[in-house]
Amino acid sequence: MRKPAPPESAGEDKSSDIKTLSRRLKMSAVRPHDSGSGQSHLMYQGRLHGALARQLGVDILRGVYRQGEILPNEIDSSSSLDISRSAYREAIRILAAKGMVESRPKTGTRVTERARWNLLDPEVLGWMFETEPPHDFVKALFELRLITEPAAAELAAQRRTDEQIESMRHSLDIMKRETLQTEAGRRADLEFHHVLIQATDNEALASLSSSIGAAVSWTTRYKARHNALTRDPVPDHERVFEAVAAGDGRAARWCMESLIRMAHEDTERAFQN
Amino acid sequence: MRKPAPPESAGEDKSSDIKTLSRRLKMSAVRPHDSGSGQSHLMYQGRLHGALARQLGVDILRGVYRQGEILPNEIDSSSSLDISRSAYREAIRILAAKGMVESRPKTGTRVTERARWNLLDPEVLGWMFETEPPHDFVKALFELRLITEPAAAELAAQRRTDEQIESMRHSLDIMKRETLQTEAGRRADLEFHHVLIQATDNEALASLSSSIGAAVSWTTRYKARHNALTRDPVPDHERVFEAVAAGDGRAARWCMESLIRMAHEDTERAFQN
DNA sequence: GGCGGTTATTTTGTGTGATTTATAGATTTC
DNA sequence: GAAATCTATAAATCACACAAAATAACCGCC
């Protein structure tokens, strides 16, 4: 009694998307000359398989395709999207690599259970923030940040090199000048956090934080877009910096904790209006 | 019909591997009837693209291919491995999805800088533990665990449901009976941690912990293999369990911290002989 | 009638070759 | 010298064929 027939009947809501998907895919696949952003290396820039993976990934995350659901077979999918089977298959491989689908002969390709999705994969996080993400998820993400980042700051304070201090000071100067309203300012913010993480001398922590950091920078854009008046983040950053420079682990931890709480509050407020 | 004799390129430091790679690939691709294990859903079981991705992934992690290095082009690679371009390309897509390579026309496929690898991806972690991983990495991983898991335990203590308590108690009983020497015992250990993580009610944290948890369970096998005499882990688990059941966050955090320190010590000792 | 093994069918997996597109690097132009 | 243009190369895409795997249907058998 598994699932005798795929919920094909109610598929209209899906096929209406599919009609325009092909067009959208090719639109989104054309590389927009690195549209303004500058910071994000999007891994499969402008490639068809990448664009399709992103589209399917977003659809899965938003629940258009649900856990356990079986996607139409390769032939049908690729022909209705008007792309080659190869491109389609490569897109599926990408999603499989992120734990979101699983394919086997005869059975087809099915969406795996949510617990197996690599939610902290940088791209998956990016897809999550393509549209307004669920509040629960944002909350969970900040809760995780609140666990890891202060600890990271503490380690950084103990292990940082003088070079790293210099680099952070430089980024901080740019932030002061540019604020988070400009691309350069946001880049400096990311760079600041990046060097801070490098200073922990812990690869695993670095990998985690850079994923989350990138995702959180999307929320910064949300905030900017929603015109939510956010506090000036520079003083918070400065306090963290001072503590790390002084090698004071306890203080660094505490300041970072406070910085993240602020950021979370700002983000929550942005989502509420 | 086989291939029309691939162009035997000159033997270099790398091609010595390549000569046997094709054979090894197909050996490792044959699904060994889910060989005994039971727990690991290996995502691309027995598929050629999966086996190749794994092989290349391991080679990259071990430094056979280095950051910034450019792989031979598709044609040469696939023909020298005696596999089709499709399979090769799909393998590359998998690696690209994990941030380990990046391919563009004209340039070719190059290994990205290490900072961009998704080291916390479950499969990447698995590849890391295919052979004895670098001590630094194991240290970093335990340091990360030491940050996240105690915090997770604290949250779990505050949020767990009675059902989850029951489930954990059950796993603990199995562990007592089986120890970590048996597959069933290790499975119960994983299940215990899994439920604990579920109890945090934080998807992001859960995703992280399950990745790391799976990887760490490989070290358990190392320990068993190296006959390192490890302490009995049950009392530690029991203390954590009691604290979580009692809803005592502080105690849960502290017990978990101690549990992980023990596990780390045991692992270090196993690697040293 | 229920059961064990065999065959059919469906879907992904793999293989091949042709064609198109993107782009680093050389070349030319101003 | 800098900017625009050309060119060669490698990936990207496409199309089609066939193999392998896994489920579903079948069939004979007791």
Side-chain angles (χ1 to χ4, degrees), chain A residues 181 219-232 265-273:
Chain A
Q181 307 303 316
T219 70
T220 309
R221 287 198 174 167
Y222 262 110
K223 283 185 276 189
R225 201 181 302 159
H226 285 60
N227 272 338
L229 17 153
T230 62
R231 268 170 291 248
D232 178 13
E265 277 173 30
D266 288 346
T267 303
E268 283 293 347
R269 205 173 323 121
F271 279 142
Q272 268 162 18
N273 54 12

Side-chain angles (χ1 to χ4, degrees), chain A residues 49-267:
Chain A
H49 51 253
L52 177 55
R54 171 181 147 283
Q55 181 63 52
L56 290 175
V58 169
D59 283 349
I60 291 174
L61 290 172
R62 302 190 59 186
V64 177
Y65 299 101
R66 285 190 289 230
Q67 307 179 313
E69 187 170 339
I70 294 181
L71 306 183
N73 69 45
E74 288 179 356
I75 313 275
D76 293 349
S77 295
S78 56
S79 71
S80 71
L81 291 169
D82 196 29
I83 62 176
S84 72
R85 244 187 100 198
S86 326
Y88 179 81
R89 280 181 59 80
E90 290 180 21
I92 293 296
R93 288 283 83 73
I94 293 171
L95 292 175
K98 298 179 186 309
M100 297 179 74
V101 302
E102 187 175 46
S103 38
R104 352 176 38 176
K106 175 72 180 183
T107 313
T109 299
R110 66 168 10 117
V111 179
T112 56
E113 65 262 53
R114 191 180 174 94
R116 282 176 51 193
W117 302 351
N118 300 169
L119 292 174
L120 298 177
D121 179 286
E123 274 184 301
V124 175
L125 278 173
W127 298 340
M128 205 67 143
F129 284 93
E130 285 262 318
T131 64
E132 185 157 323
H135 324 76
D136 278 355
F137 184 74
V138 176
K139 202 174 138 232
L141 214 50
F142 271 100
E143 198 167 79
L144 178 55
R145 277 192 91 192
L146 208 48
I147 292 168
T148 56
E149 303 273 343
E154 182 168 7
L155 289 178
Q158 292 159 2
R159 299 177 183 171
R160 88 290 184 291
T161 66
D162 292 346
E163 249 177 14
Q164 286 161 339
I165 291 295
E166 270 323 298
S167 171
M168 288 171 66
R169 189 196 307 279
H170 181 240
S171 296
L172 204 53
D173 286 343
I174 297 179
M175 279 181 71
K176 279 184 205 166
R177 226 182 22 247
E178 301 278 350
T179 78
L180 289 186
Q181 307 303 316
T182 74
E183 182 57 37
R186 285 192 289 270
R187 198 156 48 224
D189 180 37
L190 278 182
E191 179 65 13
F192 179 89
H193 286 282
H194 178 246
V195 175
L196 182 73
I197 285 304
Q198 289 299 316
T200 62
D201 194 33
N202 181 320
E203 269 193 327
L205 193 50
S207 184
L208 174 64
S209 291
S210 75
S211 289
I212 300 182
V216 167
S217 86
W218 303 141
T219 70
T220 309
R221 287 198 174 167
Y222 262 110
K223 283 185 276 189
R225 201 181 302 159
H226 285 60
N227 272 338
L229 17 153
T230 62
R231 268 170 291 248
D232 178 13
V234 171
D236 290 324
H237 281 68
E238 212 150 28
R239 273 194 289 276
V240 171
F241 171 73
E242 293 300 342
V244 170
D248 184 346
R250 305 283 299 172
R253 165 188 285 274
W254 201 89
C255 294
M256 180 61 91
E257 195 174 319
S258 142
L259 189 159
I260 290 169
R261 280 190 207 284
M262 300 289 187
H264 188 193
E265 277 173 30
D266 288 346
T267 303

Side-chain angles (χ1 to χ4, degrees), chain B residues 61-102:
Chain B
L61 291 173
R62 301 189 60 186
V64 177
Y65 300 102
R66 284 189 288 224
Q67 310 182 348
E69 186 169 343
I70 293 180
L71 306 182
N73 69 42
E74 287 182 2
I75 314 271
D76 294 349
S77 294
S78 56
S79 71
S80 70
L81 291 169
D82 196 29
I83 62 175
S84 71
R85 273 185 65 210
S86 328
Y88 179 80
R89 281 181 57 82
E90 289 180 22
I92 293 295
R93 288 283 83 73
I94 293 172
L95 291 174
K98 299 179 185 310
M100 298 179 73
V101 302
E102 187 176 44

Side-chain angles (χ1 to χ4, degrees), chain B:
Chain B
M1 304 328 178
R2 296 297 171 277
K3 319 265 323 266
E8 287 306 323
S9 49
E12 308 201 6
D13 52 302
K14 228 154 275 175
S15 56
S16 59
D17 274 333
I18 291 183
K19 270 180 285 180
T20 60
L21 182 52
S22 167
R23 221 173 316 153
R24 274 196 288 148
L25 271 182
K26 280 155 192 179
M27 294 295 276
S28 69
V30 299
R31 164 130 58 141
H33 219 339
D34 203 15
S35 66
S37 86
Q39 50 92 9
S40 68
H41 29 225
L42 296 172
M43 269 153 189
Y44 331 91
Q45 354 186 346
R47 297 308 150 41
L48 204 43
H49 52 254
L52 178 54
R54 171 180 145 284
Q55 181 63 53
L56 291 175
V58 169
D59 283 349
I60 291 173
L61 291 173
R62 301 189 60 186
V64 177
Y65 300 102
R66 284 189 288 224
Q67 310 182 348
E69 186 169 343
I70 293 180
L71 306 182
N73 69 42
E74 287 182 2
I75 314 271
D76 294 349
S77 294
S78 56
S79 71
S80 70
L81 291 169
D82 196 29
I83 62 175
S84 71
R85 273 185 65 210
S86 328
Y88 179 80
R89 281 181 57 82
E90 289 180 22
I92 293 295
R93 288 283 83 73
I94 293 172
L95 291 174
K98 299 179 185 310
M100 298 179 73
V101 302
E102 187 176 44
S103 39
R104 359 177 34 173
K106 173 75 180 184
T107 313
T109 299
R110 75 168 65 226
V111 179
T112 56
E113 65 262 54
R114 192 178 173 96
R116 283 176 50 192
W117 303 351
N118 299 169
L119 292 174
L120 298 176
D121 178 287
E123 274 184 301
V124 175
L125 279 172
W127 299 339
M128 204 66 143
F129 284 92
E130 285 261 320
T131 63
E132 185 157 321
H135 324 74
D136 278 356
F137 184 73
V138 175
K139 200 174 140 233
L141 213 51
F142 271 100
E143 197 168 79
L144 178 55
R145 277 191 92 190
L146 208 49
I147 292 168
T148 57
E149 303 272 342
E154 182 168 9
L155 289 178
Q158 292 158 3
R159 300 176 182 171
R160 88 290 184 288
T161 66
D162 292 346
E163 250 177 12
Q164 286 160 340
I165 291 295
E166 270 323 299
S167 171
M168 288 171 67
R169 189 196 308 278
H170 181 240
S171 296
L172 205 52
D173 285 343
I174 297 179
M175 280 181 71
K176 279 184 206 168
R177 230 185 15 251
E178 302 277 350
T179 78
L180 288 186
Q181 306 303 316
T182 73
E183 182 56 39
R186 285 192 290 269
R187 198 157 49 226
D189 181 37
L190 277 182
E191 179 66 12
F192 179 88
H193 286 282
H194 178 246
V195 175
L196 182 73
I197 285 303
Q198 289 299 315
T200 63
D201 195 32
N202 181 321
E203 266 193 329
L205 194 50
S207 185
L208 174 64
S209 292
S210 74
S211 290
I212 300 182
V216 168
S217 86
W218 303 142
T219 70
T220 309
R221 287 198 174 167
Y222 262 111
K223 284 185 275 190
R225 200 181 302 159
H226 286 60
N227 273 338
L229 17 153
T230 62
R231 269 169 289 250
D232 179 10
V234 171
D236 290 324
H237 281 68
E238 212 151 28
R239 274 194 288 275
V240 171
F241 171 73
E242 292 299 343
V244 170
D248 185 345
R250 305 283 299 174
R253 164 188 285 275
W254 201 91
C255 293
M256 181 60 90
E257 195 175 319
S258 141
L259 188 159
I260 291 169
R261 281 191 206 284
M262 300 287 188
H264 187 193
E265 276 172 31
D266 287 347
T267 303
E268 283 293 346
R269 203 171 326 121
F271 279 142
Q272 270 161 17
N273 53 13

